[in-house]
């Protein structure tokens, strides 16, 4: 029985590494990352207005057509990828750092500090995160930096809960107790001994967080609270294309499909990453 379980586990690992959907998701993400990184050096003209080409449909010279100002939609979609991924990665980095430190400190300190931080987390969870982000973005004003701050201000909660749970289960390990006995401070114990052990589930959470941040960026830009014109954003492109949806559907379809592909690819990679790190589902 044990041998059979080991063989099955090995087979599932090999199968997961050859998953065509996972390979496709990685390829899609790689292409979008390359487009986002090298977009300024690709000779694009996302803000070049050409009035004779207003609402031009896709053709050989304009692969995705032109928008309501005659600007090439393909160029704007590629520049929109730069905005989406910059916000997504920025929000996740800030949220993960703040949330991990707060949650880890709460679990390690215990007592009143833990109670206060848990109550603070509960307060944030009592309200829809996107509504808080909209309110903060409205207060801070539009802009890429303010958008990252608004989303990170509500995005740290999930990382804090996860980090707290992980540290609570790790703080009684022998090496942590030995470090305490040697007089090592709580901050050093948290950073050197506890958070590195909790890194795997936090990385999985961060992977899904990128997809959520990309969607939130598009939603806030759709409402006019994201990056401002003439900067390209998939959310603002969809908003501008709604008025001409029946005449030029490519204005909505192009950024919408781009957003769909990126979010699906990130979630597929996150699922694979989670399955790979989930030791509970493996047969020993």
């Amino acid at each position: 029985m044990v041998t059979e379980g080991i063989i099955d586990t090995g087979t599932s690992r090999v199968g997961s590494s050859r998953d065509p959907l996972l390979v496709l998701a990685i390829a899609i993400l790689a292409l979008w990352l390359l487009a986002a990184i090298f977009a300024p050096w690709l000779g694009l003209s996302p803000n070049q207005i050409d009035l004779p080409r207003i609402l031009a449909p896709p053709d050989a010279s304009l692969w995705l057509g032109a928008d309501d100002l005659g600007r090439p939609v393909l160029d704007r979609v590629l520049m929109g990828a730069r905005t989406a991924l910059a916000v997504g990665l920025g929000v996740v980095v800030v949220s993960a750092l703040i949330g991990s430190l707060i949650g880890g400190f709460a679990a390690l300190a215990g007592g009143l500090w833990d109670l206060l931080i848990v109550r603070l987390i509960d307060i944030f969870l009592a309200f829809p995160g996107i509504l808080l982000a909209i309110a903060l973005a409205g207060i801070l004003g539009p802009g890429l930096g303010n958008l990252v701050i608004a989303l990170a201000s509500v995005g740290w909660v999930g990382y804090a809960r996860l980090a707290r749970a992980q540290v609570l289960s790790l703080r009684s390990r022998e090496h942590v107790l030995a470090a305490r006995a040697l007089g090592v401070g709580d901050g050093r114990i948290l950073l050197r001994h506890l958070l590195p052990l909790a890194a795997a589930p936090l990385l999985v959470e961060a992977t899904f967080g990128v997809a959520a941040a990309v969607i939130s960026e598009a939603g806030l830009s759709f409402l006019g609270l994201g990056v401002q014109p003439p900067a390209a954003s998939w959310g603002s492109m969809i908003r501008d294309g709604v008025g001409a949806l029946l005449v030029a559907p490519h204005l909505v379809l192009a950024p919408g499909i781009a957003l769909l592909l990126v979010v699906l690819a990130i979630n597929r990679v996150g699922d694979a990453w989670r399955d790979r790190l989930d030791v509970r589902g493996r047969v020993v």
Side-chain angles (χ1 to χ4, degrees), residues 46-225:
N47 300 320
Q48 182 177 351
I49 297 176
D50 190 353
L51 297 182
R53 299 193 304 181
I54 288 179
L55 301 181
D59 56 25
S61 60
L62 290 171
W63 290 2
L64 295 180
D67 65 4
D68 55 348
L69 294 177
R71 298 172 296 187
V73 174
L74 176 60
D75 293 6
R76 295 189 62 78
V77 167
L78 293 178
M79 292 301 295
R82 187 177 180 88
T83 301
L85 295 177
V87 171
L89 294 175
V91 168
V92 165
V93 169
V94 176
S95 299
L97 286 176
I98 295 176
S100 299
L101 291 176
I102 292 177
F105 170 77
L108 195 59
L112 181 60
W113 280 110
D114 186 33
L115 179 62
L116 291 175
I117 291 175
V118 170
R119 295 288 81 82
L120 178 63
I121 291 174
D122 291 340
I123 291 173
F124 271 86
L125 292 176
F127 298 94
I130 188 62
L131 294 182
L132 290 177
I134 291 173
L136 289 173
I139 293 172
L140 296 174
L144 188 62
N146 291 339
L147 187 59
V148 171
I149 294 174
L151 293 176
S153 297
V154 298
W156 65 272
V157 178
Y159 300 97
R161 291 183 65 193
L162 182 58
R164 178 179 177 273
Q166 293 295 315
V167 172
L168 283 175
S169 65
L170 296 171
R171 66 181 182 179
S172 59
R173 289 197 174 185
E174 293 182 357
H175 70 284
V176 178
L177 298 177
R180 281 187 178 276
L182 293 173
V184 179
D186 287 347
R188 186 176 180 85
I189 290 176
L190 179 63
L191 296 177
R192 295 291 300 273
H193 300 284
L194 293 175
L195 287 183
L197 294 177
L202 288 172
L203 286 175
V204 174
E205 179 76 11
T207 303
F208 293 110
V210 173
V214 169
I215 294 176
S216 297
E217 182 276 327
L220 292 179
S221 294
F222 184 88
L223 297 174
L225 298 174

